[in-house]
Amino acid sequence: MGSGPSLDERAYVRAGEQQTAVKILVVGHFAVGKTTFIGSISEIVPLTTEETMTRAAESIDDLKGVNGKTTTTVAMDFGRLTISDRVVLYLFGTPGQQRFVQMWEDMARGALGALVLVDPERLADSFPVIDLIEQYGLDYAIAVNRFDHTSRREEHALREALDLLDDTPVVSCDARDEQSSAQALITLVRYLLDRAS
């Protein structure tokens, strides 16, 4: 497996500091950019479980609309982002294929909320993901990942297509870009804070 750093606690917890750890899920359908998102924003080398896709997977995973994808997450991605002296976000990226949903229950336990990445060209693929997040009772925000050569959709059209509640945040992002990914996370965290107050 292509795992990143060793499990040295100093990489994840700063010595002598009292920090509050906040668990956030980064979820979405297959090939929507979850691994890329965590890689763009994590302050540590992210832990990834990317494996080469095999011919056997071609008959299971829907590769329509996915160009040049050769690897896939088979367990999870993990990253860390300190947002203040006292608060650190632990980002857990879930695998997007339906055959891995049994892992979601454990990953959702203790999570404060979820950032749902969606591809504007494959919105229907997001329904099972949103259903799972709602099943686990997690508050979430939608981050519409911008891919090269995809048309932009108006927010109201996205809301209608995804059947979102009026207060569910929707933000556009480029999972490859640190600042854009940060803005998506800020949107989610602000929403979670508003819901908690």
Side-chain angles (χ1 to χ4, degrees), residues 52-197:
T52 301
M53 293 178 63
T54 64
R55 288 201 179 268
E58 291 177 10
S59 63
I60 300 170
D61 298 326
D62 183 4
L63 300 178
K64 181 181 61 196
V66 179
N67 296 322
K69 185 160 179 67
T70 59
T71 63
T72 189
T73 300
V74 296
M76 66 172 206
D77 298 315
F78 174 78
R80 178 185 196 271
L81 181 64
T82 303
I83 60 173
S84 73
D85 289 341
R86 299 192 48 138
V87 178
V88 61
L89 300 181
Y90 289 109
L91 307 172
F92 289 82
T94 61
Q97 298 95 318
Q98 194 66 29
R99 66 183 183 273
F100 294 121
V101 296
Q102 70 275 10
M103 301 172 66
W104 280 49
E105 184 173 353
D106 288 334
M107 293 181 75
R109 192 173 293 121
L112 191 61
L115 185 67
V116 181
L117 288 178
V118 301
D119 179 342
E121 300 295 324
R122 297 185 294 150
L123 291 178
D125 293 347
S126 298
F127 295 142
V129 174
I130 293 171
D131 287 346
L132 271 173
I133 290 301
E134 290 177 347
Q135 176 185 327
Y136 292 126
L138 293 174
D139 291 322
Y140 62 92
I142 300 290
V144 182
N145 194 8
R146 293 191 300 263
F147 291 89
D148 295 333
H149 313 297
T150 58
S151 57
R152 292 187 186 248
R153 291 194 175 191
E154 295 296 323
E155 183 180 325
H156 72 276
L158 288 165
R159 286 183 171 284
E160 187 173 320
L162 294 172
D163 194 26
L164 300 176
L165 296 174
D166 291 342
D167 67 339
T168 302
V170 175
V171 63
S172 178
C173 81
D174 182 338
R176 301 165 293 189
D177 180 74
E178 179 182 3
Q179 294 300 319
S180 184
S181 296
Q183 190 57 53
L185 270 179
I186 288 167
T187 299
L188 171 64
V189 170
R190 284 183 176 152
Y191 176 63
L192 295 175
L193 288 171
D194 286 347
R195 299 276 291 174
S197 59

